[in-house]
């Protein structure tokens, strides 16, 4: 194939994959089969384009089956997630037609409507409370083009968890980004606040800003349709709960339309449904409102972790339960099963390759790695590249052969990183054959030190991530922020 066509094939492959991705987004929620086909073709095209780019551009030999398997695994996980959602919803024996609460429509929380953006809805009774879970997608129309463009650029799937309450004036409590500055820098929490609130519906009521006159106003923004109700609602116990529980620090909660709700980015899962509704029930129990019906809601049931969740703790419950208690005690966000698995996978992906490289380097530096004599058969200097050689000019490369344990091994494109004399064809140089996969060859002490530092960097990053996940340190005192 003409080498000049390579860049166009790569660019065209990714462009077509993006087109299929956007097409799948258009079909999603309306034509599930067409959406699934578009997403699957997009994944396969991205994988095969990447395979061609890596193989043709760098001379690597990535197994083709691996690139086909990757999008298929992702598609299988998506199908499994959809099956699980239908399973637990069916097990609850709830209703798919909401009898209370609100539904999102073009960013507004409205009652008694069935907008096309709603994907799934389930209503059921639990521990004396009436609960409603809604999965919806951000969408737009000709009258809201900016909202449509935003939904196309991001994963616009959200879940709206609601707990039925008596009708009260509207109050929206929104966490502020940068609320801890300059004491702490919290970019990840600020990102979650933005992610959760950008898709949260707003009450269809005229709201005005309300301030308590305390440090609470630094952490949260309160808007309400009735300042007197907001003043009664925001008691010290109510504010202490919002201040002290990290969960409320990244999620917007609202009273409106006979329900207390929270919106969260992501699909509606059983774990999210019960964990979020428990927080809402705990919040409702702190409301001191002179209304017999609301007092009945506040005292409806046991809102303890064991009493509310029971056996609905989600996957990895035995690990997540104690872990999240430690994290919350340290002022950190609780982790869902997906977040815990993702963090663990990223930490391992950093630590294991980095540790292998560091160990290989140490064996070469300490003389524990087997040594061999490399006979150089060809060399390529970085400065010797020409316009007709697409792989030249990037690094000093060496080809050769060596014998180890009675076997002859051929070396192609060994990246020569030593600051010593660059070998010429026919030279024989000493190399260390490291023991761990992928068995890199190390040609000098300086190269061993350099690779050791490179290997220790991801090990340190992965270790810090694992420590922050499994053994977080308590944050600095925030006593002056409470009010």
């Amino acid at each position: 194939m003409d080498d000049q066509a390579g860049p166009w094939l790569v660019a065209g492959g990714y462009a077509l994959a993006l087109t299929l991705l956007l097409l799948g987004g258009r079909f999603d929620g309306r034509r599930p089969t067409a959406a699934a086909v578009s997403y699957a073709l997009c994944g396969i095209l991205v994988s095969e384009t990447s395979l061609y780019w890596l193989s043709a551009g760098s001379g690597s030999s990535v197994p083709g089956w691996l690139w086909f398997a990757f999008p298929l695994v992702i598609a299988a996980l998506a199908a499994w997630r959809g099956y699980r959602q239908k399973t637990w919803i069916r097990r609850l024996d709830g209703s798919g037609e909401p009898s209370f609460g609100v539904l999102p429509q073009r960013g507004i929380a409205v009652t008694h409507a069935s907008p096309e953006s709603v994907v799934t809805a389930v209503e059921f009774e639990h521990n004396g409370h009436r609960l409603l879970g809604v999965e919806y997608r951000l969408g737009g129309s000709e009258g809201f083009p900016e909202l449509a463009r935003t939904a196309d650029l991001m994963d616009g799937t959200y879940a709206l968890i609601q707990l039925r309450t008596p009708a009260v004036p509207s109050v929206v409590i929104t966490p502020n980004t940068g609320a801890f500055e300059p004491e702490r820098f919290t970019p990840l929490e600020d990102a979650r606040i933005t992610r959760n609130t950008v898709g949260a519906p707003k009450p269809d009521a005229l709201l005005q800003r309300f301030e308590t006159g305390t440090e609470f106003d630094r952490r949260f923004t309160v808007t309400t349709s009735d300042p007197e109700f907001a003043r009664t609602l925001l008691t010290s116990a109510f504010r202490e709960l919002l201040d002290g529980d990290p969960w409320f620090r990244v999620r917007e909660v609202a009273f409106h339309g006979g329900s207390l709700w929270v919106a969260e980015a992501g699909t509606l899962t059983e774990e999210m449904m019960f964990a979020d509704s428990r927080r809402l029930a705990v919040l409702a129990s702190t409301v001191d409102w002179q209304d017999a019906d609301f007092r009945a809601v506040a005292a409806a049931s046991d809102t303890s972790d064991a009493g509310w969740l029971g056996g609905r703790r989600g996957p990895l419950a035995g690990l997540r339960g104690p872990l999240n208690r430690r994290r919350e005690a340290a002022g950190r966000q609780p982790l869902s099963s997906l977040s815990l698995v993702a963090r663990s996978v990223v930490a391992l992906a950093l630590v294991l390759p980095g540790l292998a490289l560091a160990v290989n380097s140490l064996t070469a530096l300490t003389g524990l790695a087997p040594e061999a004599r490399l006979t150089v058969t060809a060399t390529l200097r970085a400065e010797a590249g020409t316009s007709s050689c697409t792989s030249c000019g990037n690094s000093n490369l060496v080809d050769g052969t060596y014998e180890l344990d009675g076997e002859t091994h051929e070396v192609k494109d060994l990246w020569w990183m030593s600051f010593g004399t660059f070998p010429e064809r026919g030279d024989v140089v000493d190399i260390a054959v490291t023991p761990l996969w992928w068995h890199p060859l190390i040609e000098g002490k300086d190269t061993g030190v350099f690779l050791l530092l490179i290997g220790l960097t991801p090990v340190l990053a992965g270790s810090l991530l694992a420590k922050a996940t499994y053994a977080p340190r308590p944050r600095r005192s925030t006593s002056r922020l409470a009010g």
Side-chain angles (χ1 to χ4, degrees):
M1 182 178 294
D2 187 358
D3 289 340
Q4 295 183 357
W8 296 103
L9 290 175
V10 172
Y14 284 131
L16 182 56
L18 178 61
T19 302
L20 288 169
L21 180 63
L22 295 178
L23 189 62
R26 294 292 184 186
F27 287 142
D28 205 346
R30 296 192 298 269
R31 300 175 63 183
T33 302
V37 171
S38 298
Y39 287 144
L41 290 177
C42 172
I44 292 174
L45 191 57
V46 167
S47 295
E48 293 306 303
T49 303
S50 302
L51 171 63
Y52 169 76
W53 191 3
L54 291 175
S55 299
S58 63
S60 64
S61 55
V62 181
W65 65 266
L66 183 64
W67 295 91
F68 276 109
F70 178 76
L72 294 178
V73 168
I74 297 299
L77 289 175
W80 177 76
R81 186 175 61 179
Y83 171 77
R84 277 199 54 133
Q85 184 185 73
K86 293 179 180 179
T87 300
W88 70 261
I89 288 177
R90 185 165 54 247
R91 188 173 64 249
L92 289 174
D93 195 24
S95 169
E97 295 294 331
S99 64
F100 77 96
V102 299
L103 294 174
Q105 187 171 31
R106 297 174 183 172
I108 303 298
V110 298
T111 57
H112 308 298
S114 299
E116 294 181 358
S117 59
V118 173
V119 178
T120 302
V122 57
E123 179 183 329
F124 59 98
E125 195 84 19
H126 181 67
N127 278 25
H129 289 280
R130 194 69 181 173
L131 305 178
L132 172 62
V134 177
E135 180 181 318
Y136 63 98
R137 290 187 59 83
L138 299 183
S141 64
E142 295 180 357
F144 296 85
E146 293 298 327
L147 184 59
R149 280 195 289 269
T150 301
D152 287 339
L153 292 174
M154 60 183 285
D155 178 16
T157 302
Y158 282 80
L160 188 65
I161 313 299
Q162 303 183 60
L163 180 146
R164 185 170 63 185
T165 68
V168 295
S170 301
V171 176
V172 180
I173 305 170
T174 307
N176 295 327
T177 58
F180 293 93
E181 297 178 355
E183 291 85 355
R184 289 206 306 269
F185 183 49
T186 55
L188 296 181
E189 287 195 352
D190 290 349
R192 289 193 67 181
I193 292 172
T194 303
R195 182 80 171 88
N196 286 331
T197 56
V198 72
K202 307 304 178 186
D204 56 344
L206 182 62
L207 305 179
Q208 58 181 298
R209 178 76 178 267
F210 177 83
E211 295 185 350
T212 63
T214 67
E215 285 292 336
F216 179 83
D217 299 330
R218 184 184 179 186
R219 299 269 297 276
F220 297 91
T221 296
V222 180
T223 54
T224 180
S225 62
D226 186 343
E228 287 302 319
F229 173 71
R231 183 173 293 107
T232 303
L233 177 71
L234 294 170
T235 61
S236 59
F238 191 94
R239 286 185 279 118
E240 285 174 5
L241 175 60
L242 294 177
D243 275 326
D245 191 337
W247 186 88
F248 290 102
R249 207 160 58 211
V250 297
R251 295 169 176 85
E252 181 178 88
V253 294
F255 291 87
H256 178 70
S259 74
L260 168 61
W261 83 66
V262 61
E264 185 166 356
T267 57
L268 179 65
T269 64
E270 184 178 22
E271 179 183 338
M272 180 189 295
M273 180 76 227
F274 283 92
D276 288 12
S277 62
R278 186 183 78 84
R279 285 316 207 293
L280 296 180
V282 171
L283 185 63
S285 68
T286 65
V287 175
D288 186 15
W289 181 246
Q290 302 301 322
D291 183 285
D293 292 336
F294 210 108
R295 290 183 179 276
V297 170
S301 65
D302 177 13
T303 56
S304 66
D305 189 75
W308 188 271
L309 299 180
R312 300 179 177 90
R313 299 174 181 268
L316 306 175
L319 175 62
R320 284 177 41 257
L323 173 61
N324 280 337
R325 285 192 289 272
R326 290 198 303 271
R327 292 183 59 83
E328 291 174 10
R332 305 304 178 98
Q333 292 296 322
L335 298 177
S336 65
S337 300
L338 181 60
S339 296
L340 180 58
V341 171
R343 282 169 169 252
S344 301
V345 169
V346 171
L348 287 174
L350 290 170
V351 169
L352 293 181
L355 189 61
L357 181 58
V359 170
N360 280 331
S361 302
L362 283 174
T363 59
L365 291 172
T366 57
L368 296 177
E371 294 185 352
R373 305 275 289 173
L374 177 68
T375 301
V376 179
T377 57
T379 62
L380 177 64
R381 287 185 177 274
E383 62 270 21
T386 65
S387 60
S388 62
C389 180
T390 57
S391 62
C392 297
N394 296 321
S395 57
N396 293 325
L397 303 178
V398 170
D399 294 349
T401 60
Y402 69 91
E403 289 189 4
L404 183 66
D405 298 332
E407 294 184 11
T408 300
H409 301 268
E410 184 178 3
V411 177
K412 291 287 291 183
D413 296 335
L414 171 63
W415 187 5
W416 190 270
M417 292 184 289
S418 176
F419 291 105
T421 303
F422 185 68
E424 300 293 340
R425 182 176 180 179
D427 290 350
V428 179
V429 295
D430 293 327
I431 59 170
V433 184
T434 55
L436 299 182
W437 186 84
W438 59 108
H439 308 290
L441 305 179
I442 298 179
E443 70 276 12
K445 296 293 184 182
D446 53 352
T447 301
V449 172
F450 181 62
L451 293 179
L452 176 62
L453 295 177
I454 292 178
L456 289 178
T457 300
V459 170
L460 178 60
S463 300
L464 291 176
L465 176 60
K467 185 180 184 302
T469 300
Y470 290 95
R473 290 188 303 174
R475 295 186 185 275
R476 290 186 298 173
S477 174
T478 57
S479 57
R480 83 177 186 87
L481 294 179

